[in-house]
Amino acid sequence: MRNHPAVVLVAVLLSTLVLPISLTGASVALPDIGRDLDAGLAAVQWVVNGYNATFASFMLASGALADLFGRRRVFAIGLVVFTAGGLLASVAGDILLLDLARALAGVGAAAAATSASALLAGTFHGRARARAFGAFGTTIGAGLAFGPSIAGLLIEVFGWRAVFAVPALVAGAVLVILVPLLPESRQPHPGRVDWPGTVTFTAALLLLIFGFVQGPEYGWAAPVIVAAFAAAAALLVAFVRVERRRAEPMFDLSLLASRRFVGICLAAATIVAVLVPLLVYLPSYLTTVVGLSPGAAGATLILLTAPTLVLPLLGGALTRLVPATSVTVVSVLVVAAGAAWATVLGPDADTVRLAGPLLTIGVGVGLSIGLLDAIAIGSVPPARAATGAGMINTARLASETVAIAVVGAVLASTTAGRLADPGFTGGLRTVLWTMAAAALAAAVATAVLVRRARTGAREDLPVG
């Protein structure tokens, strides 16, 4: 069974499943964590934001490391770090240690996720690749769909610590049982690690998130917040300058010459910027304002995520009838429509009223999951597969991390840090209208970027 494609697929899918569960599970556990560890809103938000920030920050670095030193090796290291972070989080006795453990788990998740995509791309080809990435998308959808329900069950039976322990144990099992059976692959001519690029990008993103999370608590005009935003901007400029001067950069700016690749990254970033903040903050709204039980709130969220279970395979099949880029643009438009429709929520909103908008958003997300990865990775040279995967996943995670922080800042301001009415409904409606407008603009921009003659070149490689 060593080097068998089925083993690669099982290892990738099992490890991929626990990553979204770790995110959505943590969001459901936030109220219990705050009460148990006597932590304020900003500190509790770092349980989610710390994981996402390091996940996004280390995507590019881990993608480059996988290309240079081996996809299986970096995949294994990522699982080790993710497992260690999860187990440490499950025994944390104070909020600071928990936040640090979650940041550590995010580093491992970045390494595992990026190298997993590259392992799939290197193992499967043609229609088999489309099917593999369809299964990959379905697995992500399953983690998103059932993450809140699984987390709620774990919390009721074992307490909030199980939300971090169980994914860690699953990742550990993959590491011990399956990783030794995986094939190794890397660039033919390895280069050096881009540490200046890694440091500047990571520091910039962390400072940006710090500014948004702590802004409502410290005050937006506080010197430390202004300094954080200014330093983030300066570091991003430094990052671009560093990458342009390096022979083998972590962020291959030459890939941005591909309008198709840029458009796909924009679509991916926009879709998760709508989906993930809703997964994080809707449970609190449904329980504190609408008055649903945690179980009912989790069941309602399945309306948002259930389409991601089946539609990734449909998205791949649709590419046999229409261009893959057209499916992508439609997906973003559907998400925009769903976000606008979701503004019907209110204190008297029940599951029936929310079913339409939540399902609509889920349909847009489901059509794009997996499809976007296959298009993006198929748009770059094979030797840069892990770097390309790292770039699109960085676009996703940076976008969702910033979006979570921004939405949290808006809601903290409108609710005076209590995440309750008065203020919660109005703040969430403002967020939804903004999401809808941003997604509409992104759909138009994506359509413009990917519009070009289909010549059969890599720039327009079919997925199915």
Side-chain angles (χ1 to χ4, degrees):
M1 289 296 291
R2 185 176 179 84
N3 297 344
H4 195 282
V7 176
V8 176
L9 186 62
V10 171
V12 167
L13 296 186
L14 280 177
S15 62
T16 300
L17 179 65
V18 301
L19 302 184
I21 289 178
S22 185
L23 170 64
T24 56
S27 66
V28 174
L30 293 185
D32 285 353
I33 292 172
R35 286 190 296 269
D36 192 25
L37 300 183
D38 192 25
L41 177 60
V44 169
Q45 282 181 310
W46 280 108
V47 174
V48 172
N49 284 309
Y51 177 81
N52 264 21
T54 53
F55 201 154
S57 299
F58 285 91
M59 271 288 180
L60 290 175
S62 59
L65 287 169
D67 279 338
L68 298 176
F69 300 120
R71 284 77 184 261
R72 185 185 70 175
R73 179 177 299 176
V74 174
F75 182 64
I77 293 172
L79 291 178
V80 169
V81 175
F82 177 81
T83 301
L87 294 178
L88 182 60
S90 69
V91 298
D94 61 76
I95 192 64
L96 177 60
L97 180 58
L98 176 59
D99 289 341
L100 291 174
R102 290 289 289 164
L104 178 65
V107 175
T114 306
S115 49
S117 296
L119 283 169
L120 284 185
T123 303
F124 297 94
H125 306 279
R127 294 189 182 277
R129 175 182 288 184
R131 290 192 295 269
F133 274 98
F136 179 74
T138 301
T139 301
I140 295 174
L144 293 173
F146 297 110
S149 299
I150 293 172
L153 179 61
L154 290 174
I155 292 169
E156 289 181 6
V157 177
F158 301 108
W160 62 263
R161 297 179 186 277
V163 170
F164 307 115
V166 170
L169 293 175
V170 173
V174 172
L175 175 68
V176 172
I177 299 172
L178 296 177
V179 168
L181 303 176
L182 300 182
E184 183 59 284
S185 62
R186 59 171 62 85
Q187 276 196 47
H189 306 290
R192 293 180 297 176
V193 180
D194 181 11
W195 292 118
T198 300
V199 171
T200 52
F201 181 82
T202 301
L205 186 58
L206 289 174
L207 284 170
L208 184 64
I209 301 307
F210 173 85
F212 282 119
V213 173
Q214 301 296 145
E217 182 175 332
Y218 293 170
W220 295 107
V224 66
I225 299 301
V226 174
F229 285 130
L235 284 167
L236 284 175
V237 172
F239 171 72
V240 172
R241 296 186 65 180
V242 165
E243 297 307 283
R244 292 181 65 180
R245 293 177 179 177
R246 292 187 66 87
E248 296 180 351
M250 175 183 69
F251 192 100
D252 191 349
L253 293 175
S254 66
L255 295 182
L256 299 183
S258 166
R259 297 194 309 171
R260 185 168 184 264
F261 183 77
V262 173
I264 295 304
C265 287
L266 174 61
T270 301
I271 288 171
V272 296
V274 175
L275 172 68
V276 178
L278 293 181
L279 287 173
V280 171
Y281 292 108
L282 264 183
S284 295
Y285 184 82
L286 294 174
T287 55
T288 61
V289 177
V290 179
L292 298 182
S293 67
T300 301
L301 284 179
I302 291 178
L303 294 170
L304 178 63
T305 54
T308 62
L309 291 174
V310 294
L311 290 182
L313 294 176
L314 177 60
L318 284 176
T319 61
R320 301 189 184 99
L321 304 175
V322 296
T325 50
S326 298
V327 177
T328 297
V329 172
V330 170
S331 297
V332 182
L333 287 172
V334 171
V335 168
W341 189 1
T343 57
V344 299
L345 63 78
D348 59 344
D350 54 15
T351 301
V352 174
R353 180 186 296 185
L354 295 176
L358 295 183
L359 284 171
T360 300
I361 296 172
V363 167
V365 175
L367 287 174
S368 66
I369 288 180
L371 176 64
L372 290 172
D373 296 85
I375 300 173
I377 293 175
S379 300
V380 303
R384 304 294 287 169
T387 301
M391 289 175 70
I392 186 172
N393 284 318
T394 296
R396 274 198 185 102
L397 287 201
S399 174
E400 75 180 46
T401 303
V402 172
I404 290 171
V406 171
V407 171
V410 171
L411 297 178
S413 299
T414 60
T415 65
R418 296 182 302 108
L419 289 186
D421 265 352
F424 205 168
T425 299
L428 203 49
R429 285 176 176 169
T430 299
V431 163
L432 287 165
W433 280 120
T434 304
M435 286 177 171
L440 178 61
V444 174
T446 299
V448 171
L449 286 167
V450 302
R451 186 184 60 194
R452 59 187 305 148
R454 303 194 68 178
T455 61
R458 179 173 299 278
E459 181 70 3
D460 207 18
L461 186 71
V463 176

